[in-house]
Amino acid sequence: MMTEIYCHRGYSGKYPENTMLAFTEATKTGTEGIELDVHLTKDGEVVVFHDERLDRITDGVGFLKDFTLKELKKLDASGAYRGKVPVQRIPTLREYFDLVAPTGMKTNIEFKTGMFEYPGLEEKVLEILGEYSVEDRVIFSSFHAHTLLRLRALAPEIPCGFLRQNKLLKAGTVVKELGMTAYHPAFYQLTPRVIREVRDKGLAINTYTPNGIVPLSYLLSQKVSAVITNYPERAKKLRKLLQGK
């Protein structure tokens, strides 16, 4: 089994996260997929952005949910790259799939519903997937179990992964009992024992965000299902070296 490589928030190690620039550069890496985050605007549009608040990444202030798409499109989402790259706008999920759907790459859609549940977000995302016929190239993930349970009820054919940052005792058992198909832990939680326990339950392991050579090499050697990394080209080179051995 070959470990797949997903570009975390696009190619976020070198470009502004969750922007069309980062996604465009991610499509050039030859990796298997892209991970991104979705929220719902005040006027009900699905947009790609990580934080609940705009402050860290954009020149705006406040919660994303309190702005319309038109208002959000006026902001510069270049973050730490402001002035170093052309102005970047917050993309819609449709804009993302306009770019990525023709490439054949997979997409891990993380639902950012931990603070605000965004009623109707799940249905809107599924509608967009149907428009682009990409349902068979998508993984859903969230830290919010109720979101994942809704998604499983609405689209049981699409894989769902339970995200976890802190240690989860008997992770395989818990995730399996939730009805999920994958476990998405922070990479530093994946000891050999945890990997064995999760695999024994027949679950995929998609882990975020190993960026260094040591954790990437370890996880690739363990043949986890996927690594979600800020540096996809580094992971790809390491995978090729390990396959050569």
Side-chain angles (χ1 to χ4, degrees):
M1 180 185 74
M2 181 185 73
T3 299
E4 294 187 334
I5 298 167
Y6 279 69
C7 306
H8 182 237
R9 306 179 198 170
Y11 199 153
S12 60
K14 291 188 176 181
Y15 305 95
E17 65 178 64
N18 279 331
T19 62
M20 294 308 296
L21 176 58
F23 297 140
T24 298
E25 295 302 322
T27 66
K28 300 175 183 178
T29 63
T31 55
E32 287 72 37
I34 295 172
E35 185 267 356
L36 55 79
D37 311 277
V38 293
H39 295 260
L40 209 56
T41 67
K42 184 178 180 179
D43 51 342
E45 295 291 335
V46 182
V47 292
V48 181
F49 198 75
H50 181 268
D51 300 358
E52 285 82 6
R53 291 190 64 89
L54 299 166
D55 311 43
R56 180 178 68 90
I57 294 296
T58 79
D59 50 356
V61 177
F63 290 108
L64 182 149
K65 73 176 185 66
D66 296 327
F67 292 76
T68 65
L69 179 60
K70 185 177 179 180
E71 290 168 337
L72 291 172
K73 284 292 188 181
K74 296 176 182 177
L75 303 177
D76 182 356
S78 301
Y81 294 87
R82 193 166 301 135
K84 302 174 185 177
V85 299
V87 171
Q88 299 296 306
R89 306 301 182 189
I90 296 174
T92 66
L93 189 60
R94 284 188 174 88
E95 288 171 325
Y96 167 83
F97 278 117
D98 282 339
L99 170 71
V100 175
T103 71
M105 292 182 79
K106 300 177 183 179
T107 302
N108 180 169
I109 300 176
E110 180 182 343
F111 288 72
K112 302 298 292 187
T113 49
M115 186 177 294
F116 307 112
E117 289 202 39
Y118 298 121
L121 175 60
E122 297 89 350
E123 289 85 353
K124 286 177 182 288
V125 169
L126 286 167
E127 179 183 346
I128 292 168
L129 299 184
E131 291 174 13
Y132 290 88
S133 300
V134 291
E135 296 96 330
D136 61 340
R137 289 191 277 123
V138 167
I139 303 170
F140 293 145
S141 65
S142 181
F143 288 96
H144 196 260
H146 290 296
T147 293
L148 294 173
L149 292 172
R150 283 194 290 268
L151 288 165
R152 292 295 288 161
L154 290 166
E157 72 282 3
I158 297 178
C160 282
F162 184 45
L163 276 161
R164 184 77 178 183
Q165 182 175 5
N166 300 322
K167 185 176 181 180
L168 181 63
L169 294 176
K170 295 185 177 180
T173 299
V174 172
V175 175
K176 186 75 172 181
E177 289 180 352
L178 280 171
M180 302 301 116
T181 53
Y183 181 41
H184 289 218
F187 75 91
Y188 45 81
Q189 299 294 346
L190 284 175
T191 63
R193 187 173 74 173
V194 170
I195 291 173
R196 285 194 302 271
E197 196 265 335
V198 173
R199 280 187 173 147
D200 285 346
K201 298 299 180 181
L203 299 168
I205 301 172
N206 306 316
T207 182
Y208 72 97
T209 25
N211 293 319
I213 292 173
V214 172
L216 280 169
S217 297
Y218 164 69
L219 292 162
L220 291 166
S221 68
Q222 291 289 321
K223 296 183 179 179
V224 298
S225 306
V227 292
I228 303 166
T229 178
N230 296 343
Y231 296 96
E233 289 180 326
R234 179 184 298 167
K236 189 179 176 184
K237 288 178 182 177
L238 286 169
R239 184 175 67 181
K240 186 176 181 180
L241 284 171
L242 288 168
Q243 286 175 333
K245 292 180 181 180

